[in-house]
Amino acid sequence: TGWLAGQLQTKNEEVSMGVSFQLDHLVIAVIDLEQAVADYLQLGFNIVPGGRHQLTPTQNALVYFADGTYLE
């Protein structure tokens, strides 16, 4: 099980209250990356191996979508 944290950037489309955003990517934190990759593959996602982060003991895998957004 993981938690989600979204990163947003502004866009020229109005959403609500006059503020506009465009989703860049969602971070899904998991305890077991290998198992999470297997689970997402079983769900039909194409997984791109990511890398290790330099300043933290974390690593990632990515799922890209046609509109340029992705899951990390």
Side-chain angles (χ1 to χ4, degrees), residues 19-21 24 26 30 32 36 42 45 48-50 52-53 60 62:
V19 178
S20 60
F21 297 96
D24 179 60
L26 293 175
V30 299
D32 185 341
Q42 188 173 21
F45 289 96
V48 176
R52 291 189 176 272
H53 299 107
N60 64 16
L62 309 169

Side-chain angles (χ1 to χ4, degrees), residues 26-47:
L26 293 175
V27 175
I28 302 171
V30 299
I31 292 174
D32 185 341
L33 181 60
E34 187 175 313
Q35 181 62 54
V37 167
D39 291 344
Y40 278 83
L41 286 171
Q42 188 173 21
L43 290 170
F45 289 96
N46 292 316
I47 310 294

Side-chain angles (χ1 to χ4, degrees), residues 50-60 72:
R52 291 189 176 272
H53 299 107
Q54 291 181 344
L55 301 176
T56 61
T58 58
Q59 61 185 27
N60 64 16
E72 177 181 352

